[in-house]
C-alpha cells in the first residue's frame, strides 16, 4: 500500500535561514507527489507537485522540491525562510486506480524564530 | 483552479446527534472527496463521491456513520451520524481537476 513518511514532527528555523523538510514515500509505480501547506485556521494550499520530467520542481512562495527515485524521497526546500512560512507542511502521494486519491504524510510543523 | 466552500465552518454538537456538512464547488467536477483531520494529525480519506453513484468508503469508514450525498456535479454533503467525542475533527472537502487536488477551508467539529 502507498504510504508517506515525514520523519520530522517539528522543525524550528531562524528567519532568513534555509529550510529542508523531508518526505519519503512508498509506492510501486511512478509516484505523483505533492507538497501542501496548512496555515493556522486555513485550508490546504498546494505548494508544488511532481508528475514526471525534471526532478527539480519549482513551486509557489519560493519553495522547490527534488524527486529522487533512488532514495524514494521528495524533500521540500526554501533558501530563505520568512516568518510567514510558519505552518504545517504535508507531503502526499497520488494513489489508487487512475490516481484517484491522495495519501498524506503525518505533517511537519515549521516554527520560525526571529 | 476550483474554489470550494463549506458550511458550516465550525460547530459544537452534543454526542448522539448528527451534523451535515455541505460542500459547494464553483465548477463541475467528476470526483469529490471527503477527508478527516483529527486534532494534531494528518488527513485521512473518508470516501470518494461520484455523481450518480454510491460513495466509495475507505477502510475503517462506513456509510451508516458517514452517509454522503452527491446530487449533482458541484455539490456534496457529508453527515456525521450519532456523534461521539472521537468524531471531533476538521472535515475537508476536496476535488480533483487535471491531476491537482483542491481543498475547501474545512469544517471544525467539536463533539461534547
Amino acid at each position: 500500500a502507498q504510504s508517506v513518511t515525514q520523519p520530522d514532527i517539528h522543525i524550528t528555523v531562524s528567519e532568513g535561514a534555509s529550510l529542508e523538510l523531508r518526505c519519503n514515500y512508498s509506492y510501486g509505480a511512478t509516484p505523483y507527489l505533492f507538497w501542501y501547506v496548512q496555515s493556522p485556521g486555513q485550508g490546504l494550499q498546494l505548494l508544488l507537485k511532481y508528475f514526471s520530467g525534471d526532478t527539480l520542481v519549482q513551486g509557489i512562495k519560493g519553495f522547490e522540491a527534488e524527486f529522487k527515485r533512488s532514495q524514494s524521497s521528495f524533500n521540500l526546500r526554501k533558501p530563505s525562510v520568512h516568518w510567514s512560512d510558519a505552518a504545517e507542511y504535508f507531503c502526499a502521494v497520488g494513489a489508487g486506480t487512475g490516481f484517484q486519491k491522495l495519501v498524506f504524510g503525518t505533517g511537519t510543523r515549521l516554527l520560525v524564530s526571529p | 483552479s476550483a474554489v470550494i466552500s463549506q458550511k458550516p465552518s465550525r460547530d459544537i454538537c452534543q454526542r448522539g446527534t448528527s451534523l451535515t456538512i455541505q460542500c459547494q464547488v464553483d465548477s463541475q467536477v467528476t470526483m469529490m472527496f471527503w477527508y478527516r483531520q483529527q486534532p494534531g494529525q494528518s488527513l485521512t480519506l473518508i470516501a470518494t463521491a461520484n455523481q450518480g453513484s454510491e460513495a466509495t468508503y475507505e477502510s475503517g469508514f462506513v456509510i451508516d456513520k458517514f452517509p454522503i450525498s452527491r446530487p449533482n456535479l458541484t455539490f456534496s454533503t457529508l453527515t456525521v451520524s450519532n456523534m461521539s467525542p472521537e468524531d471531533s475533527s476538521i472535515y475537508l472537502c476536496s476535488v480533483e481537476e487535471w491531476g491537482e487536488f483542491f481543498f475547501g477551508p474545512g469544517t471544525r467539529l467539536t463533539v461534547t
Side-chain angles (χ1 to χ4, degrees):
Chain A
Q2 303 88 357
S3 66
V4 176
T5 301
Q6 294 180 247
D8 304 307
I9 298 174
H10 297 99
I11 282 186
T12 300
V13 176
S14 298
E15 190 168 16
S18 62
L19 168 71
E20 182 168 24
L21 302 182
R22 295 183 290 166
C23 171
N24 293 95
Y25 67 90
S26 174
Y27 190 62
T30 300
Y32 298 97
L33 296 162
F34 305 80
W35 274 100
Y36 285 87
V37 60
Q38 186 178 40
S39 299
Q42 298 191 24
L44 284 156
Q45 182 180 23
L46 178 67
L47 288 174
L48 48 79
K49 63 183 185 291
Y50 172 79
F51 284 0
S52 64
D54 192 346
T55 57
L56 184 62
V57 180
Q58 301 297 320
I60 63 172
K61 303 185 177 186
F63 286 93
E64 66 177 27
E66 186 171 11
F67 170 62
K68 294 185 177 180
R69 184 186 299 276
S70 61
Q71 299 177 20
S72 297
S73 69
F74 189 56
N75 294 349
L76 182 72
R77 302 193 294 247
K78 186 170 184 178
S80 178
V81 169
H82 188 263
W83 64 266
S84 61
D85 292 324
E88 187 90 18
Y89 291 80
F90 293 96
C91 182
V93 62
T97 302
F99 176 25
Q100 288 187 355
K101 65 179 183 181
L102 292 181
V103 174
F104 283 85
T106 50
T108 297
R109 179 165 298 277
L110 173 65
L111 305 174
V112 180
S113 60
Chain B
S1 61
V3 177
I4 304 170
S5 60
Q6 289 185 232
K7 290 181 181 179
S9 59
R10 59 178 61 229
D11 206 342
I12 301 173
C13 302
Q14 292 192 346
R15 68 176 69 203
T17 63
S18 297
L19 176 71
T20 296
I21 302 168
Q22 300 179 6
C23 176
Q24 180 75 51
V25 189
D26 68 342
S27 58
Q28 294 186 338
V29 294
T30 303
M31 301 173 69
M32 297 180 77
F33 306 86
W34 286 98
Y35 286 83
R36 181 176 73 180
Q37 187 178 20
Q38 293 179 300
Q41 299 192 29
S42 186
L43 285 81
T44 302
L45 181 64
I46 298 171
T48 302
N50 289 342
Q51 193 266 338
S53 63
E54 288 204 3
T56 301
Y57 289 83
E58 296 296 304
S59 175
F61 298 95
V62 295
I63 187 171
D64 290 345
K65 176 67 176 178
F66 297 101
I68 288 171
S69 76
R70 182 79 200 274
N72 57 53
L73 292 174
T74 64
F75 187 79
S76 177
T77 68
L78 169 75
T79 299
V80 186
S81 303
N82 188 25
M83 288 184 285
S84 66
E86 291 71 35
D87 294 319
S88 297
S89 297
I90 299 173
Y91 292 86
L92 297 104
C93 174
S94 174
V95 303
E96 183 269 335
E97 277 192 335
W98 302 105
E100 286 196 25
F101 289 80
F102 300 94
F103 289 82
T107 296
R108 184 179 294 273
L109 170 62
T110 302
V111 183
T112 60

